[in-house]
């Protein structure tokens, strides 16, 4: 059912449980399978690199060639980056990639813990 929609998805599970694999399956069975799948580990990449990768000159958000962006542990991003992503994905602009996130906790739990901006959780709703 998730593949037939463009709605954002939040996958939860323990490390190594296959969240990114599930995200790839959703992407490859979905409507935008002819476009690229991009996975970003938000915990393992410097914030300025994520900013450049997604929003910089020629970044993925402007390329039109990305069908799905998978963010692993988006709560690890700085709050300003989270807000920017919430603004982009919450607007559901034409040509905007689909957002799939993976974490050991739900987005509501990350908001309650103060690690995820509430607008990001709302954009996923």
């Amino acid at each position: 059912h998730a593949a037939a929609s463009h709605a954002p998805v939040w996958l939860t599970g323990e490390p190594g449980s296959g969240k990114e694999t599930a995200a790839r399956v959703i992407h490859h069975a979905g409507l935008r399978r002819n476009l690229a799948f991009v996975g970003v580990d938000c915990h393992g990449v410097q914030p300025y690199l994520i900013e450049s990768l997604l929003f910089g000159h020629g970044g993925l958000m402007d390329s039109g060639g990305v069908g799905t962006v998978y963010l692993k542990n988006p709560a690890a991003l700085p709050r300003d980056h989270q807000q920017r992503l919430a603004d982009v994905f919450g607007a559901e602009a034409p040509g905007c990639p689909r957002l799939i996130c993976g974490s050991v906790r739900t987005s509501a739990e990350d908001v309650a813990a103060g690690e995820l901006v509430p607008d990001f959780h709302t954009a996923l709703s």
Side-chain angles (χ1 to χ4, degrees):
H1 292 286
S5 168
H6 187 66
V9 175
W10 189 281
L11 301 169
T12 58
E14 295 301 316
S17 62
K19 294 178 293 293
E20 185 168 353
T21 300
R24 287 180 183 277
V25 168
I26 291 169
H27 169 75
H28 289 293
L31 305 171
R32 305 182 116 217
R33 65 183 155 269
N34 59 330
L35 298 172
F37 175 93
V38 176
V40 178
D41 183 351
C42 300
H43 188 71
V45 178
Q46 293 294 323
Y48 72 91
L49 290 176
I50 292 175
E51 173 77 17
S52 178
L53 174 71
L54 295 176
F55 303 110
H57 180 69
L60 296 173
M61 298 303 284
D62 293 332
S63 72
V66 178
T68 301
V69 173
Y70 173 72
L71 298 178
K72 180 179 179 180
N73 300 317
L77 289 171
R79 294 180 72 78
D80 58 331
H81 285 55
Q82 292 177 24
Q83 185 63 54
R84 186 156 185 200
L85 287 167
D87 293 343
V88 169
F89 287 105
E92 295 182 21
C96 183
R98 179 185 200 169
L99 178 63
I100 301 179
C101 298
S103 178
V104 296
R105 299 189 301 195
T106 67
S107 59
E109 291 170 337
D110 280 343
V111 169
E115 295 179 11
L116 190 69
V117 295
D119 287 347
F120 198 96
H121 173 69
T122 302
L124 290 166
S125 299

